[in-house]
Amino acid sequence: MNAEMTYKKKPSWLRMPTMGSEEAAKVRSILRKYSLDTVCRQAKCPNLGHCFQRGTATFLILGNRCTRSCRYCAIEHSEGTLDPPDANEPGRIAEASAEMNLRYVVITSVTRDDLRDGGAGHFAGTVEAVRRKIPGVRIEVLTPDFQGSEDALRTIANSEPDVFNHNLETVERLFPDIRPEASYGMSLDVIELYGRLSPSTPRKSGLMLGLGETEKEIIIALKNLRESGVTMLTLGQYLQPSRLHWPVDRYLTPDEFEAWRDEALTMGFVSVASGPLVRSSFHADENFVMGAKKS
Ligand code: SF4
């Protein structure tokens, strides 16, 4: 497929006003001060200005190059050897979180298939460092699939994050094209296994829409997520990061996202954030409160 031909013009509802507020500038300077990266910047998230203005950010650990190359992702892929985890990174994230007065911290990472534990130990160390620094803080981890490793998931569970998030991202039929190194079944198994390791921790997942999936396939994916124990859901519009990435099939309207939100709530999800600009950790703090109230 020639991506050039299919680079679709964005509809009005996807145009985010640029936010250059004092708060956003403060977040940027804190991230620079502690040499920290965010998925917000690396994945070209359209909400960066908005979230920075809210004083929030999603920390990206384990470097900014990934061992995988999902066709929708703006994060740089690496064939070569990657740097070992930075032992000081957990402490720096804890310091930055405190300086940003965060009460809800989201930690995510690239996929590190080159590491024996996939980086699970570094994730756990970061959760523990943030919790030591900010007692009572809520922590959400948005993790890779750790190639389905039970040991890696147990390491994460033992650090007791408040929310376990693993994105399914798309429907089963599109996995071979869009997430060639991942597996639909493995992602569902990871979510289910985490529930067995930590039954009281809410599980969250998300789908990008507009990649070429059908409505029937979305319903099946939502059913599979409910069966694997997911209660918190995000649904957002896929945006093509560059002409070399998987093309947008179509832009869903805000009304369609609203309809999917209603559909998901009738399927038993307790917290559903659904909208063109919704991303995994968009207003994650509010979604957590919504989910906690209903569970
Ligand atoms: S595994 Fe994650 S970070 Fe890596 S390419 Fe895929 S979506 Fe991007």
Side-chain angles (χ1 to χ4, degrees):
M1 182 180 299
N2 176 354
E4 287 294 331
M5 288 181 311
T6 57
Y7 202 59
K8 287 190 172 55
K9 191 166 173 299
K10 282 187 198 156
S12 59
W13 59 77
L14 281 172
R15 292 194 206 120
M16 273 296 266
T18 49
M19 300 216 182
S21 74
E22 218 174 293
E23 187 58 35
K26 181 183 158 213
V27 170
R28 284 195 177 86
S29 73
I30 292 171
L31 293 170
R32 262 196 313 278
K33 174 180 172 186
Y34 292 102
S35 322
L36 293 172
D37 226 323
T38 64
V39 75
C40 323
R41 199 167 65 83
Q42 290 295 333
K44 298 184 180 168
C45 179
N47 303 312
L48 185 151
H50 170 86
C51 295
F52 280 21
Q53 181 160 337
R54 286 181 80 240
T56 63
T58 297
F59 296 107
L60 184 71
I61 61 172
L62 295 164
N64 55 19
R65 289 185 299 147
C66 186
T67 52
R68 298 188 183 174
S69 51
C70 304
R71 292 292 316 287
Y72 55 80
C73 182
I75 291 184
E76 195 188 331
H77 168 65
S78 168
E79 295 287 348
T81 314
L82 293 172
D83 297 337
D86 171 352
N88 300 320
E89 187 176 52
R92 294 203 310 273
I93 289 178
E95 294 297 329
S97 300
E99 209 165 314
M100 290 162 69
N101 297 319
L102 293 181
R103 301 308 303 159
Y104 195 96
V105 175
V106 185
I107 301 162
T108 190
S109 82
V110 294
T111 296
R112 293 293 303 262
D113 291 329
D114 60 316
L115 300 174
R116 196 183 45 72
D117 70 347
H122 196 70
F123 253 107
T126 307
V127 171
E128 286 150 8
V130 171
R131 185 161 285 132
R132 264 196 310 278
K133 182 75 186 175
I134 316 171
V137 71
R138 297 287 186 186
I139 301 172
E140 174 177 325
V141 292
L142 170 53
T143 79
D145 60 27
F146 299 114
Q147 300 188 55
S149 156
E150 181 162 345
D151 289 346
L153 291 170
R154 186 173 287 107
T155 300
I156 302 280
N158 290 343
S159 72
E160 299 180 345
D162 298 279
V163 174
F164 175 77
N165 189 351
H166 175 68
N167 280 330
L168 190 62
E169 305 284 15
T170 188
V171 300
E172 185 164 18
R173 175 178 56 83
L174 296 177
F175 257 67
D177 288 326
I178 292 180
R179 303 193 67 194
E181 299 106 336
S183 126
Y184 184 84
M186 181 191 282
S187 279
L188 293 171
D189 290 348
V190 159
I191 296 168
E192 194 178 349
L193 176 51
Y194 195 88
R196 279 187 263 127
L197 294 168
S198 180
S200 62
T201 305
R203 280 159 282 160
K204 182 176 176 180
S205 189
L207 295 174
M208 294 177 289
L209 304 181
L211 288 151
E213 70 288 334
T214 66
E215 290 195 0
K216 191 161 168 265
E217 289 172 325
I218 298 171
I219 294 282
I220 293 167
L222 294 180
K223 272 208 187 99
N224 292 157
L225 286 172
R226 281 297 296 128
E227 287 153 4
S228 67
V230 171
T231 57
M232 301 174 68
L233 179 73
T234 59
L235 299 172
Q237 170 69 49
Y238 166 59
L239 295 175
Q240 189 177 357
S242 83
R243 290 179 183 276
L244 301 173
H245 287 87
W246 188 263
V248 171
D249 176 63
R250 69 187 198 92
Y251 292 113
L252 286 76
T253 65
D255 288 349
E256 284 179 280
F257 278 104
E258 204 44 44
W260 279 118
R261 181 175 182 279
D262 297 342
E263 179 70 34
L265 289 170
T266 62
M267 295 170 78
F269 293 95
V270 294
S271 157
V272 181
S274 177
L277 289 164
V278 166
R279 293 294 177 270
S280 311
S281 38
F282 188 61
H283 290 231
D285 48 347
E286 291 165 3
N287 297 334
F288 174 76
V289 173
M290 205 193 324
K293 265 202 209 113
K294 289 191 193 158
S295 354

